[in-house]
């Protein structure tokens, strides 16, 4: 059967092998540089987080940390939660998610649709507040939960080492010079970079951070003002580029209008950083990540926040 018309037995088989798309318009100010976007939103849960969520679940099932009598719990306001929820439903495991109570209704509805239980945390404390509530729940009833803990779970970067990084080398290993992506849990950057560093030619790996500590680039972390994920190794990036919320949002709009891709704001920040880098280096091949799609952010719109649960 051709790969295109393959038949699969489980939705888990549809994770990874995402296409790499050449962006021809937003990088036209750097004509000597090819910019490629890896379309992670083509994963079944619609984001880059399907890879680590599935890896964390499969590894925990394999070594007995996750059993059918336990509830998988984690702090996530978004894409990882969608991924746990859909794979939990497909594989027959219960899932509970701690998320700030100001996340969009749409986001809550997606995870609830799979039967996931939602635990609200203080909206003013953001993702760090959700992490604290989650740790507290697990400490009080360790026998009840499998705490997947995407911020410290080595299976998170491993998914990108085995998948994202390997695929990029298969797709453009002959010419990639730079890899650029934003850091949240840091799994995507860490795992992919470790794989790319095994290539005999030097591939420069650039991390992207929000410029402001209070920002609208969902999924990304301003490290200085956050709980630093234990999986993060600050010595890993060749360089860190900081992108403002405004620039990330504007680039997401441009990608929709000029490339025909409706992407989320962290993708806007990734591509903004990739274009800045391309203008500086003048020739080469830059790969970056489309983490998710823009329709995940239809509500709340732009800076608008609703503090009702
Ligand atoms: C939309 C979006 N962009 C970027 C990231 C960052 O990826 P990572 O956690 O692998 O650093 C995430 C992670 O949740 C995300 O949901």
């Amino acid at each position: 059967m051709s790969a295109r018309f393959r038949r699969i037995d489980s939705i888990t088989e549809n994770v990874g092998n995402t296409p790499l798309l050449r962006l021809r318009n937003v990088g036209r100010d750097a004509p000597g540089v090819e910019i490629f976007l890896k379309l992670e939103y083509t994963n079944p849960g619609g984001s880059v987080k399907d890879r680590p969520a599935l890896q964390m679940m499969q590894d925990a099932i394999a070594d007995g940390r996750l059993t059918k009598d336990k509830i998988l719990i984690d702090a996530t306001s978004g894409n990882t939660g969608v991924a746990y929820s859909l794979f939990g439903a497909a594989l027959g495991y219960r899932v509970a998610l701690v998320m700030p109570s100001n996340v969009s209704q749409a986001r809550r509805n997606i995870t609830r649709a799979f039967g996931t239980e939602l635990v609200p945390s203080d909206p003013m404390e953001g993702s760090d507040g959700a992490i604290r509530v989650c740790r507290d729940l697990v400490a009080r009833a360790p026998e009840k939960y499998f705490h997947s803990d995407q911020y410290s779970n080595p299976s998170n970067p491993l998914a990108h080492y085995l998948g994202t990084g390997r695929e990029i080398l298969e797709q453009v290993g002959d010419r990639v010079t730079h890899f650029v992506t934003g850091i949240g849990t840091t799994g995507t950057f860490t795992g992919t970079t470790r794989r790319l560093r095994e290539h005999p030619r030097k591939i420069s790996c650039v991390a992207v951070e929000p410029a402001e500590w209070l920002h609208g680039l969902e999924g990304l972390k301003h490290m200085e003002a956050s709980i630093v994920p234990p999986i993060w190794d600050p010595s890993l990036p060749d360089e860190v580029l900081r992108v403002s919320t405004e620039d990330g949002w504007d680039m997401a709009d441009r990608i929709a209008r000029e490339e025909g891709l409706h992407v989320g704001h962290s993708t806007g920040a990734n591509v903004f950083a990739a274009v800045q880098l391309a203008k500086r280096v003048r020739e080469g091949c830059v790969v970056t990540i489309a983490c998710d799609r823009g329709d995940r952010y239809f509500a709340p719109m732009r800076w608008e926040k609703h503090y009702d649960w």
Side-chain angles (χ1 to χ4, degrees):
M1 207 184 310
S2 82
R4 200 170 156 179
F5 297 111
R6 79 207 153 102
R7 188 186 64 222
I8 56 174
D9 288 328
S10 163
I11 195 65
T12 58
E13 292 172 38
N14 208 26
V15 176
N17 291 320
T18 55
L20 196 60
L21 174 75
R22 172 93 190 263
L23 296 182
R24 296 194 174 268
N25 300 318
V26 294
R28 62 181 168 266
D29 292 345
V33 181
E34 292 176 296
I35 300 177
F36 283 97
L37 189 58
K38 192 151 172 65
L39 304 185
E40 288 299 304
Y41 59 69
T42 63
N43 283 307
S47 88
V48 68
K49 304 303 292 196
D50 279 17
R51 295 177 189 266
L54 183 60
Q55 188 82 40
M56 288 187 280
M57 291 175 84
Q58 286 177 330
D59 290 352
I61 292 166
D63 64 18
R65 282 171 296 145
L66 176 57
T67 47
K68 296 262 166 154
D69 58 335
K70 290 202 169 174
I71 301 173
L72 182 154
I73 192 166
D74 213 350
T76 163
S77 59
N79 289 321
T80 314
V82 174
Y84 287 139
S85 300
L86 97 95
F87 298 128
L91 299 171
Y93 292 89
R94 287 166 66 196
V95 176
L97 303 175
V98 185
M99 52 177 82
S101 60
N102 61 330
V103 307
S104 71
Q105 183 68 45
R107 196 61 69 83
R108 279 176 271 154
N109 289 347
I110 306 172
T111 42
R112 274 203 192 118
F114 295 105
T116 290
E117 181 196 333
L118 304 188
V119 182
S121 62
D122 188 336
M124 300 313 287
E125 292 183 26
S127 60
D128 285 354
I131 293 172
R132 282 188 280 268
V133 169
C134 184
R135 283 183 187 159
D136 196 45
L137 279 170
V138 176
R140 277 192 271 133
E143 67 297 337
K144 185 173 165 190
Y145 296 111
F146 161 62
H147 184 194
S148 188
D149 198 358
Q150 57 167 338
Y151 292 93
S152 57
N153 192 326
S155 301
N156 171 1
L158 180 66
H160 296 287
Y161 175 87
L162 297 173
T164 321
R166 175 185 54 78
E167 291 170 27
I168 290 171
L169 290 179
E170 280 173 24
Q171 289 165 314
V172 285
D174 56 334
R175 56 191 192 279
V176 56
T177 56
H178 295 79
F179 171 66
V180 178
T181 204
I183 47 176
T185 67
T186 76
T188 311
F189 181 84
T190 303
T192 307
T193 294
R194 286 201 179 120
R195 188 63 173 240
L196 298 181
R197 290 267 160 84
E198 289 176 0
H199 196 268
R201 192 170 26 76
K202 163 82 180 166
I203 299 167
S204 195
C205 296
V206 178
V208 177
E209 250 196 302
E212 313 94 359
W213 72 272
L214 249 184
H215 64 88
L217 299 171
E218 196 166 317
L220 303 189
K221 258 180 188 280
H222 180 84
M223 281 303 160
E224 221 176 86
S226 313
I227 298 177
V228 177
I231 57 173
W232 179 231
D233 172 2
S235 71
L236 204 56
D238 290 290
E239 184 178 353
V240 178
L241 289 177
R242 295 192 172 79
V243 176
S244 72
T245 298
E246 208 64 46
D247 287 336
W249 280 75
D250 288 349
M251 182 56 89
D253 288 347
R254 279 188 64 195
I255 296 165
R257 294 199 183 125
E258 297 176 31
E259 305 281 355
L261 306 171
H262 190 226
V263 295
H265 310 117
S266 66
T267 306
N270 282 352
V271 174
F272 182 85
V275 171
Q276 295 300 104
L277 189 71
K279 285 189 202 159
R280 199 176 77 204
V281 299
R282 300 220 179 130
E283 60 182 46
C285 169
V286 181
V287 173
T288 190
I289 302 285
C291 307
D292 65 1
R293 281 208 325 230
D295 51 12
R296 203 143 271 188
Y297 303 92
F298 275 153
M301 300 296 280
R302 207 138 204 184
W303 302 95
E304 200 183 311
K305 293 270 180 200
H306 296 283
Y307 291 101
D308 58 338
W309 178 257

